[in-house]
Amino acid sequence: MIEVKELTKRFGATVAVDRLSFKVERGEIMGFLGPNGAGKTTTMRMLTGFFPPSSGQATIGTYDVVDQANKTRALVGYMPENVPLYQDMRIKEYLHFVAGVKALDRARAGSEVSRVLGAVGLETRADQLIKQLSKGYRQRVGLAQALLGDPPVLILDEPTIGLDPGQIVEIRSLIKGFAGSKTVVLSSHILPEVAATCSRVVIINQGRLVTEGPPELLRAGAGGDHLRLSVQGPEEELTQLLSKVPGVNSVACQEQAPQNGTCCYFSLETGGGPEVAAEVAKAVVEAGYGLLELTPVSASLEEVFMQLTTSEQAAGEEAA
Amino acid sequence: MRAFAAIYLRELKAYFFSPIAYALLVSFLALTGYFFYSGVAFYAVASLQVMQNPMMMQLNLQQYLLAPLLMNTSVMLMLITPLLTMRLLSEEKRSGTMELLLSYPLGDVQVVLGKFFAAWTFFLVMVVASWFHVGLLATMAEVPWAPLAVAYLGLIIMGGAFISLGLWASALTENQIVAAVAGFVALLLVWAMGWSASVAGPAIGPVLTKLSLGSHFENFPKGLIDTADLAYFVLFMGFFLFLSIRTLEAKRWKA
């Protein structure tokens, strides 16, 4: 549905987006990730036709975003990052204006406005002035105007930023509901959100593609799993015992609780899943030590993300 | 058409739901009211003198009161119009709403024309409101309606020209004050261009006169419709609307 080929955008000497290529299939929810200034917003602006690429090509449906901009814009519902809205309008009035600008006929405009108001939970606020709304509600108005006219493609720049946890869950499940029916590109800083909502992620850094794939990508690539362990017993014997357990790659004793010298905390790197954890527990208990805690720890998404983006940067610097 | 109507109505509402419309309307009526009053008072004194001096018998309402009054009004409108147009596009750019507006499937032409006609409609309201003075005059004297109607037609058409230039100034900058100042200076220059015609020499002089806004308005208060004047204003509007559309398009390429 969306295809980006070798897309490049330069602002003077700065290269904001550098030969970026990716594809989003129909019905897919794509998470667009990257640190600040990675070029996410720039890419989205090129897709919505706000400015053209310096070179390269992007198509939505079968239309080119530059040459057939009016056709692609008709397919896209766009929610920009800071949700710029007309402050002096009421929500309902504003949405009717958007329906007009999107050229929905009058009969359909009315039903569409009430539909999107319901979808984002703004029915009770419909007559409120936009300038009096909190950030979260402004965000919902932004989403409502993107949904108006039921466009097949949604481009959402940081849709849940500034929302409270309850609202985040609501909006997230709303977006998740589009899976299969709409093509969604959503950028976010919140990695668990992307992992929970998206069917695919594209990670960019400094305008370049770092990696793309399923959201599990964010979990893998950080080496094996980790186990956290606290055991009552002497440190040396325990270390020896644990390193002999099949599947355990390395053992590190982290600290000894100062109040009793008999308790040790270990961090284990293992090559397997729950089987290894079971083996570890069995070994400790059979040797007669007191097992106090055994917790599997997976690397946080943030760690993986940092690893992916910084290693890319390092590689780039080496090449340069 | 639907998109144009949406832009037009939103813009028109924005005028009337904000204090801008009322501040401008009241200022305009206060100024024209003052000029009208002093004009009428002066004319009354002159009328008394006519009774004693038959040499001044050619004194008439259109020529000695209404025509100068309308020339004054046209200058006032020239001062006020940039304030009317300054926010049209620059505010959208500053607040970022332009990004969203341009993401909708509508052309730059619809954006520019929607805003242009909304401003022109408000201009029309201002001009029509000033008929109040003429109405007062009609209770006391015989008003020459036909030449007066021509004069007002001239004001309204010239207003379109003012607005098109102001709109272009607004398309050029994110700053409303800059848009107002640029629009005002440009209007004043084009208006007064003809004044230097006599010293500019025989080659450039007539060209300056032909290009100046002021010299094309002069005929209207006399009750004369010259198609050359009409053509001038229509071309003027077309030119600056074209520039506004092009400037907006160019923003898509820079931004």
Side-chain angles (χ1 to χ4, degrees), chain A residues 96 106-116 148:
Chain A
H96 273 286
R106 272 166 216 286
R108 195 168 158 233
S111 64
E112 272 294 294
V113 168
S114 14
R115 182 185 70 85
V116 297
L148 208 60

Side-chain angles (χ1 to χ4, degrees), chain A residues 51-181:
Chain A
F51 46 56
S54 305
S55 66
Q57 205 192 12
T59 52
I60 295 177
T62 53
Y63 307 116
D64 186 272
V65 294
V66 178
D67 298 335
Q68 292 152 303
N70 262 334
K71 296 229 167 81
T72 58
R73 282 191 216 120
L75 296 175
V76 173
Y78 176 44
M79 174 180 173
E81 192 175 2
N82 297 315
V83 201
L85 303 168
Y86 299 104
Q87 301 293 318
D88 284 328
M89 293 181 97
R90 291 172 198 284
I91 295 179
K92 203 170 183 176
E93 184 194 2
Y94 171 69
L95 291 175
H96 273 286
F97 162 71
V98 175
V101 176
K102 287 189 173 182
L104 305 185
D105 58 64
R106 272 166 216 286
R108 195 168 158 233
S111 64
E112 272 294 294
V113 168
S114 14
R115 182 185 70 85
V116 297
L117 278 174
V120 300
L122 279 174
E123 299 106 321
T124 53
R125 306 240 169 192
D127 290 319
Q128 211 168 339
L129 276 174
I130 289 175
K131 66 176 160 197
Q132 293 168 345
L133 296 176
S134 67
K135 172 91 176 138
Y137 279 106
R138 288 167 47 86
Q139 207 77 5
R140 291 183 193 212
V141 179
L143 191 59
Q145 63 80 27
L147 294 174
L148 208 60
D150 206 15
V153 177
L154 288 176
I155 296 181
L156 312 172
D157 203 351
E158 309 262 358
T160 56
I161 203 165
L163 299 179
D164 62 47
Q167 295 171 331
I168 290 181
V169 172
E170 269 175 51
I171 297 295
R172 217 183 268 176
S173 66
L174 180 72
I175 294 173
K176 232 181 155 171
F178 298 141
S181 61

Side-chain angles (χ1 to χ4, degrees), chain A residues 45 49-52 70 73-74 78 80 84-86 89 93-94 97-98 100-106 109 145, chain B residues 2-3 5-7 10 13 17-18 92 95-107 251-255:
Chain A
R45 284 181 166 176
F50 184 58
F51 46 56
N70 262 334
R73 282 191 216 120
Y78 176 44
L85 303 168
Y86 299 104
M89 293 181 97
E93 184 194 2
Y94 171 69
F97 162 71
V98 175
V101 176
K102 287 189 173 182
L104 305 185
D105 58 64
R106 272 166 216 286
Q145 63 80 27
Chain B
R2 177 95 161 89
I7 300 265
R10 198 203 79 77
K13 274 190 200 164
F17 288 171
S18 74
E92 299 252 15
S95 67
T97 47
M98 189 71 104
E99 178 178 2
L100 207 43
L101 191 62
L102 295 184
S103 80
Y104 299 132
L106 84 171
K251 291 287 166 203
R252 290 190 197 252
W253 299 86
K254 286 185 279 176

